Amino acid sequence: MNSRVPTQVQNILNEYINLFQNKLPNTLEGFYLHGSIALNAYINGSSDIDFMAVVNRSLTEEDAKVISDLHKELNRKYKDTGMDGCYLLVEDLGKKQNEVKGCLNVNEGNTNWSNDNINPITWWILKNKGVTILGQDIATYSFSVDERVLEDYVLENMNSYWSNRLKKIKKYKAFLIPNKLVDLEVEWSVTGILRQFYTLQEQDIVSKVDACKYALHHLPEGLHNIINGAINIREGSNIRYCNSKKQRIDDTIQCMTYIIEHCNSVKN
């Protein structure tokens, strides 16, 4: 298997492929990884296995039940390493979300018919950094992602999902929130929005930690403590640069507000 794939993930994928081929033979045409593995940022016990599976025929409800059972079986066996991805036809590779029909989505062992994972970020990582596990090399497929399309998608995401999340965080009452949940919020929101910042600045996609390290060289010093804190949480370190839950939430709000305002002023 590709040397970019961590050993523990190789074991899971080998078992997955054997199970799939036994249960639905002559169906899987290609299997590819994106996400943290493709970005060389996989963290064992924390990262998911983000995948795109290409099938050679439209899947039925019966197929979906077989695939669902397969993923639930693996999810029970490998509790700390979930598989997150979707199954689609080869002609759907690179298409816009509203153009993809009959896509089977998998998350934490659960399956549903959804095209939620179809977006320019997924396609860009697959085309430029994707890892081929089975089938023809992902780079040989004809789809591509225009840089302007990627930028537009990221900016829209920033002004919808991340803007709404910022509004939610502003309503937090810090004294009611356990430290663990504050950590989860800092990690998710700070690393997530800085990844968006990096893409809009560099027209590239990197891991959350690498985006944070990049931000330390491009953002005001007043934001560095919360950024370094987010890096430590992501990497499993117990070091925090502020013990006050309220201050960490306030710093997260400040960081997100700055990024959203900055990116909109530059790109609009």
Side-chain angles (χ1 to χ4, degrees), residues 166-219:
L166 174 59
K167 292 175 184 176
K168 177 182 175 182
I169 297 171
K170 287 179 177 179
K171 296 178 181 178
Y172 284 175
K173 298 186 185 303
F175 63 91
L176 294 175
I177 305 175
N179 263 310
K180 184 176 181 180
L181 292 184
V182 174
D183 275 1
L184 288 173
E185 189 62 64
V186 170
E187 179 194 357
W188 179 258
S189 293
V190 173
T191 64
I193 204 160
L194 290 180
R195 201 176 183 190
Q196 308 274 300
F197 170 72
Y198 179 90
T199 296
L200 290 172
Q201 292 288 113
E202 301 294 335
Q203 294 77 50
D204 191 6
I205 298 174
V206 293
S207 71
K208 291 179 178 180
V209 169
D210 285 342
C212 287
K213 292 177 179 178
Y214 171 89
L216 291 172
H217 296 285
H218 294 82
L219 296 182

Side-chain angles (χ1 to χ4, degrees), residues 142-158:
S142 61
F143 74 90
S144 62
V145 181
D146 183 84
E147 286 184 358
R148 185 60 193 176
V149 171
L150 180 64
E151 284 188 24
D152 288 346
Y153 175 81
V154 169
L155 191 62
E156 191 279 330
N157 185 253
M158 185 177 286

Side-chain angles (χ1 to χ4, degrees), residues 227-250:
I227 296 172
N228 280 314
I231 292 173
N232 287 344
I233 297 168
R234 181 72 179 168
E235 294 186 333
S237 167
N238 292 320
I239 297 174
R240 303 291 180 267
Y241 297 94
C242 178
N243 292 323
S244 163
K245 292 187 290 185
K246 182 179 185 306
Q247 187 61 56
R248 286 156 67 202
I249 290 172
D250 287 346

Side-chain angles (χ1 to χ4, degrees), residues 23 28 106 126 186 196 257:
K23 294 176 183 294
L28 193 61
V106 180
L126 272 172
V186 170
Q196 308 274 300
T257 301

